[in-house]
Amino acid sequence: MKKISYNIGKILIWIVIAVLILFSVYPVVYALLGSLKTNAELTLGSGILPEGFQWGNYKKAFIDSNFLEYGKNSLIISLATMALAVVTTSLSGYILARFDFAGKKLMTAAYTAMMFVTIGSVALYPITQLLAKVHLQKSMLALVLVLTGAQITNVFLVQGFVSGIPVELDEAAKIDGCSIFRIWWQIIIPLIRPILGVIALFTFRNTWNDYITTLVMTMSNKRLTTLTVAVVQLKYSVFAAAEWHIMLAGASLAIIPVLILYVFTNKQFIAGLTAGSVKG
Amino acid sequence: MKRRKGKYRRGWKENIQIYGMLAPNFILFLLLAVYPILWVFRFMFYSYGGLGSGEPVFVGLDNFKRLFTNDPIFWKSVVNTFIYAAGKIGLVIPMAFFAAMMLNRKNLRGAGFLRATLFLPTIMSSAVMALIFYLLFNVYNGEVNKYLSLLGITKTPVNWLGEEHAMLTVIIIGIWGGLGNYMIYFLAGLQGIPEDVYESAELDGVNWWQRTWYITLPMLGPVLKMILMISIVLAFQDMSHIMVLTEGGPVNATMVMFLYAYQFFFPIAPGSMVVTQFGYGAAVSVVAAGIVGIVTLLYLAAARKLDKLYD
């Protein structure tokens, strides 16, 4: 009797898990398979599998909609933002973990407060005005700086990680005549590689996926439009509203790179979140 | 032993390095986090339409007077934000907890694959996915309605993006994008519970429900508190999928606070006309930030009370 109810429980659990998996995966699979359908198949609502593989959709998206150009922008901007975030957060996190300095308490308090204060995307307006004053508003550098931001959570993550490394290592290097900067570069950086890897991955993902910041920053400068922004704009163009197959090909082009990145790094993604939650 | 402050004297060379190394991040912090907040605090007292509309005019508390007495859409957006946050958190937290409980079992084959799969949506752009959901939730040829009628659940197609159901649709997408994150947080918390607690409970013959209710949940307390905190702060800020999917509509049915503030500065949809009202928008965003702040503080107070219950 007990055995039977145990098995029923097990089956129920598997059904729920299957539903959750389907719920998570279906939209992605739908987009990827839909991108290979004809427009007629999509608008009439056929089965999930395409009747024939319309690779031409991608060609059209690539060439007619200039996605190669946007993809290049996305890649450069995401990589640059990722690099800048890793450098700035590891510098600050290391100093905060190892040194006392005038204003440290104030700085930590300000950072902590700002983790919870948000005025949303409205902040982008004063920022663009500020950039216009220094004539930077149309450069890629400005976009990268704004997308990098202060990364407060990541600074604290690095700080926590560095605190776990014995301070004797720093001191030994100091006796050997290492400067603070060199200790950071040659001793700390190699030791905190796991957490920096996680910060890099998450920053890359966030930058690649960002819509609002990039949209606002490239409004007056279409040249820097990224893949995500370009794909979403298809919704608003009369030309593509009726061409859902191109829209899905575009959406797939925007999600496939992160998907590939994820397949190779999903352990780090998941480890990063768990490390963050235990420490945070 | 901890070194006492001031005992360790540094030379100016080292101080230059310290401040120099803090500078890159700190400058970004000042310019991109602090400056915008000071800006909205100043301009909430002004009437200002931007370049070409004349100089900013100081109007004192007029913006707030309008906000509190004569702006039903703002208050609708506040109610919508609370409905969205409550709906999303109320569903995603139990779902994530359940998923984590299931995937935490020791002898589960393929647990890594299942976790990676459930985490998959969190790596997608919510704006791009909103486009895909736009197709899925389409009234006439959408997949959702197709399956619902196939299963015999609905007879007539549900208008998922209409005024009546749009909020529900937006909440479902919010859950889709957040489930994986919270599941991982819960998994981390569950793995921190020592195994022997369960073993001794096993000897006492407790069942699954008792074990979950009396052991797992209390021991998960601190983690749960933090997960709820994160989920509240994030749910109140969600807007990019709403912006793309419904643009706050229809008839403001899915207008949330920060999207409402945003539309005084930038057009929600490309090509749509926007009458910029930077002063009023600043007042709206300050009040919205204040509401999120109050909710957070109330939650922290409530969470502290909960802690005392267990003592």
Side-chain angles (χ1 to χ4, degrees):
Chain A
M1 196 59 206
K2 207 181 168 194
K3 191 81 193 262
I4 294 171
S5 73
Y6 177 76
N7 278 336
I8 290 175
K10 222 173 175 186
I11 290 167
L12 275 176
I13 285 164
W14 276 104
I15 289 173
V16 175
I17 290 181
V19 169
L20 287 179
I21 296 274
L22 194 67
F23 173 62
S24 294
V25 171
Y26 188 82
V28 183
V29 173
Y30 171 80
L32 295 178
L33 290 174
S35 69
L36 296 168
K37 291 179 181 175
T38 63
N39 204 28
E41 281 177 74
L42 280 169
T43 44
L44 296 175
S46 62
I48 176 109
L49 284 171
E51 282 158 27
F53 293 99
Q54 308 294 323
W55 295 104
N57 294 347
Y58 280 87
K59 200 180 148 211
K60 211 168 168 195
F62 254 113
I63 293 161
D64 296 1
S65 306
N66 212 6
F67 277 175
L68 207 56
E69 192 66 28
Y70 303 134
K72 204 178 76 196
N73 283 341
S74 275
L75 196 65
I76 295 172
I77 290 165
S78 303
L79 287 175
T81 304
M82 180 179 100
L84 193 63
V86 165
V87 172
T88 56
T89 54
S90 65
L91 280 169
S92 286
Y94 162 62
I95 298 287
L96 280 172
R98 285 294 199 246
F99 299 95
D100 282 328
F101 53 89
K104 181 177 179 175
K105 270 198 181 139
L106 189 68
M107 187 176 159
T108 310
Y111 273 42
T112 313
M114 283 300 172
M115 281 173 78
F116 297 106
V117 177
T118 175
I119 53 168
S121 305
V122 166
L124 290 168
Y125 181 77
I127 291 169
T128 51
Q129 294 306 297
L130 198 68
L131 289 167
K133 269 184 200 153
V134 291
H135 302 289
L136 256 181
Q137 79 274 34
K138 293 204 169 171
S139 75
M140 193 178 271
L141 175 69
L143 183 52
V144 169
L145 287 173
V146 174
L147 285 166
T148 304
Q151 306 248 355
I152 299 169
T153 321
N154 290 336
V155 171
F156 287 142
L157 268 181
V158 173
Q159 186 188 0
F161 208 90
V162 174
S163 300
I165 296 169
V167 75
E168 283 75 18
L169 280 173
D170 298 37
E171 281 165 356
K174 196 175 180 303
I175 291 165
D176 288 344
C178 264
S179 67
I180 296 174
F181 186 79
R182 223 177 124 194
I183 295 173
W184 168 76
W185 176 243
Q186 292 195 311
I187 294 170
I188 299 298
I189 290 283
L191 289 173
I192 62 172
R193 226 182 266 154
I195 196 74
L196 293 185
V198 166
I199 291 172
L201 276 180
F202 278 87
T203 308
F204 185 93
R205 176 196 68 176
N206 294 346
T207 316
W208 185 276
N209 286 340
D210 174 80
Y211 174 62
I212 296 174
T213 304
T214 316
L215 171 74
V216 167
M217 297 282 298
T218 55
M219 262 175 193
S220 60
N221 192 16
K222 303 286 180 217
R223 197 172 46 86
L224 291 181
T225 303
T226 60
L227 203 49
T228 301
V229 172
V231 168
V232 177
Q233 303 294 296
L234 282 180
K235 184 190 168 195
Y236 302 102
S237 70
V238 190
F239 147 76
E243 304 205 339
W244 284 353
H245 57 312
I246 302 301
M247 202 158 91
L248 284 183
S252 302
L253 282 175
I255 61 181
I256 288 171
V258 264
L259 200 61
I260 292 172
L261 184 74
Y262 179 59
V263 167
F264 287 106
T265 57
N266 78 73
K267 279 210 175 76
Q268 280 87 335
F269 264 103
I270 287 169
L273 272 174
T274 45
S277 66
V278 170
K279 285 218 175 75
Chain B
M1 228 174 61
K2 229 185 141 187
R3 198 176 272 124
R4 266 185 61 205
K5 227 183 177 172
K7 217 175 181 184
Y8 171 49
R9 290 178 69 94
R10 281 191 302 261
W12 61 272
K13 262 188 188 164
E14 283 176 311
N15 272 325
I16 287 180
Q17 285 185 62
I18 286 178
Y19 290 109
M21 287 166 80
L22 286 169
N25 183 261
F26 192 65
I27 291 170
L28 288 175
F29 172 74
L30 287 181
L31 294 182
L32 303 175
V34 179
Y35 171 74
I37 288 182
L38 297 178
W39 190 95
V40 295
F41 269 108
R42 172 166 179 238
F43 277 94
M44 65 188 184
F45 301 117
Y46 285 80
S47 169
Y48 180 41
L51 293 171
S53 65
E55 288 298 299
V57 182
F58 185 82
V59 293
L61 293 173
D62 278 11
N63 286 329
F64 291 96
K65 217 165 100 187
R66 174 176 158 200
L67 185 60
F68 283 101
T69 58
N70 195 18
D71 190 350
I73 301 177
F74 173 71
W75 295 106
K76 180 158 192 187
S77 81
V78 174
V79 173
N80 285 343
T81 310
F82 276 87
I83 294 173
Y84 174 81
K88 182 183 169 185
I89 297 167
L91 290 168
V92 82
I93 297 294
M95 280 166 77
F97 177 68
F98 179 81
M101 289 281 283
M102 294 309 112
L103 298 187
N104 192 41
R105 287 138 59 100
K106 267 187 304 186
N107 46 7
L108 181 70
R109 234 180 286 161
F113 175 76
L114 292 175
R115 286 173 200 173
T117 313
L118 281 182
F119 190 72
L120 176 71
T122 63
I123 64 152
M124 301 290 161
S125 165
S126 51
V128 169
M129 289 314 291
L131 286 181
I132 289 153
F133 280 104
Y134 183 77
L135 294 183
L136 290 174
F137 282 104
N138 199 357
V139 190
Y140 296 106
N141 301 311
E143 300 278 302
V144 177
N145 277 342
K146 199 175 84 186
Y147 290 124
L148 285 180
S149 70
L150 216 65
L151 293 171
I153 296 170
T154 53
K155 283 205 180 77
T156 49
V158 180
N159 186 5
W160 289 102
L161 298 171
E163 199 181 343
E164 200 185 339
H165 300 296
M167 180 54 88
L168 178 65
T169 308
V170 161
I171 290 173
I172 292 173
I173 298 170
I175 294 169
W176 180 83
L179 179 66
N181 265 332
Y182 299 118
M183 174 199 68
I184 295 291
Y185 289 147
F186 275 120
L187 265 174
L190 289 174
Q191 277 159 13
I193 300 177
E195 201 55 42
D196 47 350
V197 182
Y198 289 115
E199 276 161 17
S200 60
E202 202 105 339
L203 292 177
D204 294 338
V206 285
N207 65 29
W208 188 85
W209 288 109
Q210 288 169 326
R211 204 177 54 183
T212 307
W213 190 252
Y214 292 107
I215 303 175
T216 311
L217 274 175
M219 295 213 52
L220 214 53
V223 177
L224 182 65
K225 214 162 67 178
M226 197 212 60
I227 294 174
L228 279 172
M229 177 83 207
I230 296 173
S231 66
I232 289 171
V233 174
L234 290 184
F236 272 83
Q237 290 178 46
D238 272 4
M239 66 177 251
S240 59
H241 71 279
I242 301 175
M243 185 169 149
V244 175
L245 189 75
T246 64
E247 292 153 35
V251 212
N252 296 313
T254 56
M255 184 63 85
V256 286
M257 292 190 297
F258 284 113
L259 187 57
Y260 184 66
Y262 177 90
Q263 48 110 40
F264 289 108
F265 291 82
F266 308 102
I268 293 181
S272 66
M273 287 300 287
V274 57
V275 184
T276 50
Q277 299 178 46
F278 300 133
Y280 190 63
V284 169
S285 49
V286 168
V287 173
I291 289 173
V292 178
I294 290 168
V295 171
T296 317
L297 289 176
L298 286 177
Y299 168 73
L300 285 176
R304 202 162 296 152
K305 278 234 173 79
L306 272 180
D307 271 355
K308 279 183 190 146
L309 277 183
Y310 282 118
D311 284 344

